[in-house]
């Protein structure tokens, strides 16, 4: 069977409290393990509403019907009322998840990282990573050994800032295959496992309609070059589209596709991995820049895109 890395991002209070328990039921039903990345600090996701002034973001919100998809409690979180601390109110869900799945850090404050990581200095980047890692370890009572930054907002500055935390791997960028990023001092950094497949919100309403999405995604998994990695969100596949996600898992099994945690995609020897960098780039369906894999192949750099 062909292996596909399955990553679950949990961005909000509602995604943690409502979406993640439903996803746990779905995954158990299908006998699948995944990598789950939690946001643990204040839920300020509603503050993204200011981005409606940007045409690309407004088009995405309208195309994906965000109000009905996410719910107004998510879209207004941290605006009409102070953002609630996600981890403090949902520690039981996180501990339950960690008993059967690989768990890592997504963010301390998802909104803040996605908005400011591109301009924060190294000390500020380190501070936010440390806040999230410490809080999640306290909640779980165990070490956190992997991470995936919010919104794929990562570049070489972020890669450097993460080195001292001792993660086994990071999933901070989009690309095609696991690799080792080269650091400023010439050494090789922590393995990156890029996401290679498009997410629901990136293609719905533009490339494909909701009822066609599963077939579209499965075709992409079958034809993927490199290592296919797919990201779902607890706020989407765990709530509004739980039934469709369950159907996707069943279809994938029948077609010889086996979902697994990202950590299972690591080779026995990291020496076998290619070397590259994480650079700022853009992809269709997502507003603004995000980190993308740039790798060296036959002396020519290429930007890995989904």
């Amino acid at each position: 069977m062909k292996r596909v890395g399955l990553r679950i991002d949990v961005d909000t209070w509602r995604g943690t409290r409502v979406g993640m328990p439903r996803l746990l039921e779905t995954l158990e039903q299908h006998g699948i393990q995944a990598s789950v990345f939690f946001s643990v600090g204040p839920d300020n996701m509603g503050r993204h509403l200011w981005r409606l002034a940007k045409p690309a973001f407004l088009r995405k919100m309208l195309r994906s019907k965000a109000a009905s998809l996410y719910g107004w409690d998510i879209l207004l979180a941290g605006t009409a009322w102070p953002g609630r601390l996600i981890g403090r109110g949902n520690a039981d869900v996180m501990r339950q998840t960690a008993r059967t799945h690989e768990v890592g850090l997504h963010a301390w404050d998802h909104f803040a990282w996605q908005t400011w990581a591109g301009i924060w200095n190294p000390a500020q980047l380190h501070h936010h990573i440390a806040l999230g890692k410490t809080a999640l370890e306290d909640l779980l009572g165990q070490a956190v050994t992997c991470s995936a930054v919010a919104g794929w907002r990562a570049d070489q500055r972020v890669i450097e800032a993460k080195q001292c935390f001792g993660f086994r791997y990071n999933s901070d960028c989009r690309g095609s295959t696991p690799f080792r990023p080269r650091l400023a001092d010439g050494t090789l950094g922590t393995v990156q496992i890029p996401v290679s497949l498009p997410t629901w919100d990136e293609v719905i309403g533009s490339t494909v309609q909701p009822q066609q999405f599963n077939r579209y995604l499965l075709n992409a998994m079958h034809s993927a070059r490199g290592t296919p990695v797919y990201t779902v969100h607890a706020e989407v596949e765990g709530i509004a589209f739980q039934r469709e996600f369950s159907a996707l898992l069943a279809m994938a099994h029948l077609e010889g596709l086996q979902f697994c945690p990202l950590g299972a995609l690591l080779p026995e020897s990291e020496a076998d991995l290619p070397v590259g960098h994480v650079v700022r780039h853009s992809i269709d369906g997502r507003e603004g820049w995000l980190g993308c894999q740039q790798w060296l192949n036959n002396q020519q750099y290429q930007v890995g895109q989904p």
Side-chain angles (χ1 to χ4, degrees):
M1 299 187 77
K2 183 177 184 177
R3 291 196 304 176
V4 178
L6 181 59
R7 163 179 156 175
I8 300 173
D9 288 359
V10 193
D11 300 346
T12 65
W13 176 282
R14 184 168 180 240
T16 310
R17 176 63 64 90
V18 179
M20 197 59 227
R22 293 181 181 179
L23 282 176
L24 290 176
E25 293 177 4
T26 300
L27 294 172
E28 182 179 9
Q29 176 187 351
H30 293 274
I32 290 172
Q33 289 183 308
S35 297
V36 183
F37 296 95
F38 283 109
S39 300
V40 292
D43 182 358
N44 291 320
M45 289 292 281
R47 297 180 186 179
H48 279 301
L49 285 179
W50 69 269
R51 295 165 65 197
L52 291 174
K54 298 183 178 182
F57 186 73
L58 177 59
R59 285 195 298 269
K60 176 185 172 182
M61 295 287 281
L62 294 174
R63 172 172 50 77
S64 63
K65 300 180 180 178
S68 59
L69 179 62
Y70 294 105
W72 286 107
D73 57 335
I74 289 177
L75 295 180
L76 294 176
T79 56
W81 50 82
R84 293 176 289 184
L85 291 176
I86 300 170
R88 181 177 296 176
N90 298 284
D92 55 338
V93 175
M94 296 180 179
R95 294 185 190 119
Q96 180 186 1
T97 303
R99 284 196 285 270
T100 51
H101 298 276
E102 183 176 65
V103 169
L105 173 66
H106 197 35
W108 166 251
D109 182 333
H110 192 289
F111 164 79
W113 185 276
Q114 200 165 357
T115 304
W116 303 111
I119 60 175
W120 277 339
N121 61 41
Q124 291 170 312
L125 291 170
H126 183 277
H127 176 66
H128 270 255
I129 298 166
L131 275 177
K133 185 173 186 289
T134 299
L136 186 55
E137 289 179 337
D138 288 345
L139 290 166
L140 298 179
Q142 65 185 48
V144 172
T145 60
C146 54
S147 74
V149 298
W152 295 282
R153 293 281 183 158
D155 53 19
Q156 284 295 122
R157 297 163 49 257
V158 171
I159 301 304
E160 299 276 352
K162 280 194 163 187
Q163 280 307 116
C164 66
F165 290 98
F167 292 121
R168 181 178 174 224
Y169 74 85
N170 297 308
S171 181
D172 299 325
C173 64
R174 305 296 283 267
S176 58
T177 187
F179 70 103
R180 296 286 302 279
R182 189 174 296 282
L183 305 178
D185 63 4
T187 61
L188 299 181
T190 303
V191 174
Q192 284 285 334
I193 303 181
V195 170
S196 62
L197 297 161
T199 61
W200 170 276
D201 58 312
E202 291 170 357
V203 296
I204 290 300
S206 57
T207 304
V208 67
Q209 296 305 311
Q211 63 272 21
Q212 304 162 333
F213 178 76
N214 282 354
R215 183 71 267 156
Y216 168 84
L217 186 66
L218 289 169
N219 289 344
M221 291 176 181
H222 285 301
S223 61
R225 294 176 294 177
T227 305
V229 175
Y230 178 51
T231 297
V232 302
H233 288 84
E235 294 78 11
V236 179
E237 285 85 355
I239 302 178
F241 290 95
Q242 181 186 12
R243 181 181 302 175
E244 290 80 357
F245 179 58
S246 181
L248 173 71
L249 299 182
M251 293 169 66
H253 177 73
L254 291 175
E255 296 183 18
L257 297 169
Q258 180 182 14
F259 288 106
C260 66
L262 271 58
L265 300 174
L266 293 171
E268 291 185 7
S269 173
E270 295 180 357
D272 298 330
L273 293 174
V275 176
H277 296 90
V278 176
V279 297
R280 296 189 187 190
H281 199 61
S282 61
I283 64 172
D284 292 339
R286 188 161 291 277
E287 183 266 329
W289 68 272
L290 66 166
C292 286
Q293 176 184 9
Q294 186 185 57
W295 51 286
L296 187 62
N297 181 19
N298 296 329
Q299 306 303 314
Q300 293 184 355
Y301 282 99
Q302 302 177 6
V303 175
Q305 298 185 49

